[in-house]
Amino acid sequence: MTTSQARAGSGEATGTRGRRPGIKDVAGAAGVSVTTVSHVLNGKGRVDAATRARVAEAAERLGYRPNSNARGLRSGRTDTIAMLLPAGADAHDHHVLAVDYYLSLTMKTVEAAFERDQALLQLPPLRRLDDLRRFGIDGGIVLDPVPGDGRVAMFHRLGLPVVTVGRDITRPDDPWWVAADSAASTRTVLEHFAAGGARRVAMLSVDIEWSWFADAERTYVEWAAERGCEPILVLARPDRRDSSAASAAAALLDLRPDAVYVPPQWLATGLLRLARDRGVRVPDDLLVAVGVDSHLARTSEPALTAVDLDPARTAREAVDLLMHRIEGGPPGDPRVIPVTLHPRGSSLRPK
Amino acid sequence: MTTSQARAGSGEATGTRGRRPGIKDVAGAAGVSVTTVSHVLNGKGRVDAATRARVAEAAERLGYRPNSNARGLRSGRTDTIAMLLPAGADAHDHHVLAVDYYLSLTMKTVEAAFERDQALLQLPPLRRLDDLRRFGIDGGIVLDPVPGDGRVAMFHRLGLPVVTVGRDITRPDDPWWVAADSAASTRTVLEHFAAGGARRVAMLSVDIEWSWFADAERTYVEWAAERGCEPILVLARPDRRDSSAASAAAALLDLRPDAVYVPPQWLATGLLRLARDRGVRVPDDLLVAVGVDSHLARTSEPALTAVDLDPARTAREAVDLLMHRIEGGPPGDPRVIPVTLHPRGSSLRPK
């Protein structure tokens, strides 16, 4: 062990660029052995406090950076995990990603990874297996998998641990996912509408097979059946053009609902505008709630009742689950994240 | 060279986890030497097409991943660059980052890095030098530096190449930045207002020392002076609470402008609402334009005239400039990104 560490250190100092001070330089400056420096920097072995301080001071003064590559070669680990935003054909479609949930989730995942001493690589849309093979990572977090998700399949083919945020609805046996509780939040929204006096409760959603949307749709249909109502459900086409959003909103309003839950936030803007154009007042004539909270929901006029998906907790749980899988832990229960409804002006009628 | 490559390969195959096929396995399966495999995978040396195909097929079949750590040790490079979003004290303030520009810039930077065979690490807010030292990176891109930016200083202390998106307004001699042309876009907006008949053109901005805001403010003051007008300039406090945004908007409307340029998008929402409450009609009584385009700007009512900062080009230029610096290239001119104004309903009066 000591020998290989010393060798890695000297390899560093004599690298082709030759600018970085190596572990030998630190050892020389602190007047200790390379082994002692290694022990201090890795928190191993018994080294007295004064020597620790001297080594730390020398490393700081020389600007020494432990070579994480050398570390990776020893442990077989890169201490780097990857994150993949929902993308692919829709990579350049801003509608879905416009909501600040994704940036918030990204930043929280970076922080959660850092707290576990992991660097977070953001990966581009993966077009083929080689795209993934190029990265030195221990595993990855895939956001919003579709059925038989190609990104997840690439991780499996390379034997790389992977977890998802949202689950593949066609793989009920896969426990390696974290997801906000779509079914519970749908029921909460629907009951909130019912308590507000709504009798014709509808759903406006999108034909994308993410578990968030699929669970909301299923729960809504079940809820309507329990109450002996016909479901009033309109799905926008998944290509998400402004035109499909507008025609879906028009089809929905034609059905004259008095409340509508809109799981994808980007469909709500067009609905509100069309309602205004038609003289349908929100919330007086129509209660509205959206499935993800955002700056836009908070500052909309009226402010939109929205589900808070807790991106901070989702990020922490996703990193924790991935680390568990990387470390070879056994499969456990999926992590379902509780959500909170923020009732706002769009669903609260003045008494 | 050959020896060290073979050694790195065998180190891989016998690593502590022992799961990854090594370069020797590929060589065995393809019936060639380790050196040949290395030449094929690194695109070096002279290897005939049939052998190349055989090696590539074997590597694919075995699921061989070149160990980027081993590569890093040889070249002194990690082929990994870092990106730092504007953060720090404001890390949890969603106002600034709510605009989809930052997510778009992030995704475009990931893609631009990938095209240059670089992985992109997203870094958390750096609290101290050790936070940066832990990452095995070749350099970094810092977004929206403030004067004497602490993140940039950390890169310098570690001798790591760094470029910024936006420039440090107190470091005029630093050429290592990429930025959208704030001065030109400000003039474009102001001339657009003047062409629309505005006589009392104002600016509502924020007291944050990013070059984007500072250049807009300076350009506005110069433009007003050229026209012999008193500038009508209101700056919101940088803590960006909703209350400071509201009071800044109120102070601005009290000054009765007939056009207002709002460089930070998040101040525009409150301004539009307050204008409506006061019976000030947009665009009839007041022309409005914002400094960054977004989903919110496009779907606002009326749609907001906005500056398109071209995040795709900004990302490409930032990665290109950083790679130039990493490769030891000489300083050149900073990269100024041309911008485009999208005139929309908020500044276009019906004839």
Side-chain angles (χ1 to χ4, degrees), chain A residues 41-126:
Chain A
L41 297 178
N42 294 307
K44 290 176 185 157
R46 276 180 247 155
V47 184
D48 66 90
T51 306
R52 279 186 187 281
R54 207 158 69 237
V55 169
E57 187 277 326
E60 167 81 22
R61 180 161 43 84
L62 295 173
Y64 170 73
R65 287 182 290 137
N67 189 322
S68 63
N69 293 335
R71 218 164 47 217
L73 277 181
R74 285 198 302 276
S75 69
R77 287 266 289 273
T78 61
D79 291 332
T80 302
I81 59 179
M83 179 173 183
L84 291 94
L85 287 168
D90 311 312
H92 301 284
D93 184 314
H94 280 224
H95 279 116
V96 169
L97 297 173
V99 65
D100 35 317
Y101 169 75
Y102 286 105
L103 188 62
S104 185
L105 185 62
T106 298
M107 296 180 75
K108 295 298 179 187
T109 304
V110 170
E111 289 177 34
F114 188 64
E115 282 165 18
R116 301 289 294 262
D117 290 328
Q118 304 299 305
L120 190 89
L121 270 192
Q122 195 105 38
L123 294 198
L126 301 173

Side-chain angles (χ1 to χ4, degrees), chain A residues 287-322:
Chain A
L287 306 179
V288 176
V290 296
V292 52
D293 203 7
S294 67
H295 180 71
L296 197 148
R298 286 186 293 275
T299 60
S300 168
E301 189 80 22
L304 286 165
T305 294
V307 177
D308 183 343
L309 302 177
D310 202 344
R313 177 155 173 196
T314 303
R316 279 197 310 276
E317 296 281 359
V319 170
D320 187 68
L321 185 64
L322 178 59

